[in-house]
Amino acid sequence: MTTQICESLPIIPKHIAIIMDGNNRFGKSKQLATGAGHVAGKDALDPIVEHCLALGVEVLTVFAFSSENWARPKDEVDLLMRLLSQTIYEQLPRMNQYRIRLRFIGDRSQLSDGLAKLMAEAEAKTAHFEAMTLVIAISYGGQWDIANAAKKVAKQVEAGKLCADNIDTQTIGAQLELADLPSVDMLIRTGGEYRISNFLLWQAAYAELFFTPTLWPEFGCDELDEMIRIFAGRERRFGMTSEQVQKAER
């Protein structure tokens, strides 16, 4: 399947972002024990990572825990934090095997010292890998990201290193999470909701959006392949006309 996809598609997205929604509903639909849906969701990530690597995707960013998720019941939050730690432990050997760089984005000040240390160690151990980058968003929100970037720029102005009149989108963009990586080409949300829930608001400004009713633990490579087929057939104009795009491609 992967070989056929690569041969038949003229375009493979450089950066795919996924909102992994529907774990709780999956667990309830299968009458699983409390929290088992999240465990199933954790296990669903591995084949998607491997498939993206095989396709030649440069960056895969997944939304594991949002800044708003802190408002969930404490028992669920504690479970999610344990699963995130477990995911990092489990992913490290896989990152070594496939030479994938592991990155994390989000507000680490709200995380436990143990989890924050584990994340930093995982990043350091995989920093030199170049086959693909897997980004896991933990305690992340797009509005927080932009506000945090603005704060950094304001400090530069305060220190006299930057003139306020010279601030533009590039100035702000350079201070955002993932500033060194390609912008998001495809943003996928599973679980049947039609919103992006404060995820990569800046980085996904021109992303092609895909929504599916499939719950995340049931989302597989075949459905991802079909989305990539659709993506390859879309005309991405970035504010230009179709004629301008076609002329630029000649």
Side-chain angles (χ1 to χ4, degrees), residues 168-180:
D168 56 17
T169 55
Q170 291 185 336
T171 309
I172 300 294
Q175 301 300 327
L176 291 166
E177 303 276 78
L178 306 184
D180 59 321

Side-chain angles (χ1 to χ4, degrees), residues 1-6 9 12-13 16 18 43-55 57 60 94 98 132 186 188 190 212 214-230:
M1 176 66 75
T2 298
T3 301
Q4 293 174 352
I5 289 286
C6 292
L9 294 180
I12 295 294
I16 297 176
I18 305 178
D43 295 339
L45 179 60
D46 291 344
I48 297 296
V49 172
E50 292 179 25
H51 195 62
C52 286
L53 175 64
L55 288 173
V57 174
L60 173 64
R94 298 171 60 80
Y98 294 109
M132 190 178 82
M186 287 179 64
I188 301 166
T190 64
T212 173
T214 304
L215 303 177
W216 169 247
E218 298 176 311
F219 183 79
C221 298
D222 287 344
E223 188 166 1
L224 176 59
D225 287 347
E226 182 57 31
M227 291 178 176
I228 292 175
R229 286 192 186 93
I230 296 170

Side-chain angles (χ1 to χ4, degrees), residues 179-204:
D180 59 321
L181 297 177
S183 297
V184 177
D185 295 308
M186 287 179 64
L187 191 152
I188 301 166
R189 180 169 188 149
T190 64
E193 302 291 353
Y194 291 84
R195 55 180 177 270
I196 61 174
S197 294
N198 197 21
F199 185 43
L200 299 176
L201 299 179
W202 186 290
Q203 297 87 339

Side-chain angles (χ1 to χ4, degrees), residues 11-33:
I11 299 172
I12 295 294
K14 291 183 178 180
H15 189 165
I16 297 176
I18 305 178
I19 300 172
M20 307 180 294
D21 193 22
N23 293 335
N24 266 336
R25 282 172 284 158
F26 173 82
K28 292 176 181 177
S29 70
K30 301 296 182 181
Q31 297 182 322
L32 302 178

Side-chain angles (χ1 to χ4, degrees), residues 111-127:
L111 304 175
S112 69
D113 291 342
L115 179 55
K117 180 181 178 182
L118 181 62
M119 291 161 55
E121 290 175 348
E123 287 177 319
K125 290 176 181 177
T126 64

Side-chain angles (χ1 to χ4, degrees), residues 14-161:
K14 291 183 178 180
H15 189 165
I16 297 176
I18 305 178
I19 300 172
M20 307 180 294
D21 193 22
N23 293 335
N24 266 336
R25 282 172 284 158
F26 173 82
K28 292 176 181 177
S29 70
K30 301 296 182 181
Q31 297 182 322
L32 302 178
T34 302
H38 289 300
V39 175
K42 175 182 69 66
D43 295 339
L45 179 60
D46 291 344
I48 297 296
V49 172
E50 292 179 25
H51 195 62
C52 286
L53 175 64
L55 288 173
V57 174
E58 295 180 17
V59 185
L60 173 64
T61 301
V62 296
F63 208 4
F65 189 88
S66 75
S67 51
E68 290 75 28
N69 286 154
W70 289 110
R72 291 195 173 193
K74 185 177 183 304
D75 288 346
E76 183 176 356
V77 171
D78 291 344
L79 170 65
L80 289 169
M81 291 298 110
R82 289 195 300 272
L83 287 176
L84 287 170
S85 296
Q86 186 179 343
T87 296
I88 297 170
Y89 279 118
E90 291 176 354
Q91 288 298 332
L92 270 176
R94 298 171 60 80
M95 300 299 101
N96 284 310
Q97 177 183 355
Y98 294 109
R99 315 301 288 175
I100 297 174
R101 178 170 56 160
L102 189 58
R103 292 268 298 271
F104 299 94
I105 57 173
D107 183 2
R108 302 191 191 193
S109 67
Q110 298 192 68
L111 304 175
S112 69
D113 291 342
L115 179 55
K117 180 181 178 182
L118 181 62
M119 291 161 55
E121 290 175 348
E123 287 177 319
K125 290 176 181 177
T126 64
H128 59 290
F129 295 156
E130 297 180 347
M132 190 178 82
T133 299
L134 172 62
V135 182
I136 302 179
I138 301 176
S139 189
Y140 176 86
Q143 292 174 335
W144 165 85
D145 195 358
I146 296 169
N148 195 50
K151 186 185 298 184
K152 292 177 183 177
V153 172
K155 288 181 178 179
Q156 292 181 30
V157 174
E158 191 175 51
K161 298 179 180 179

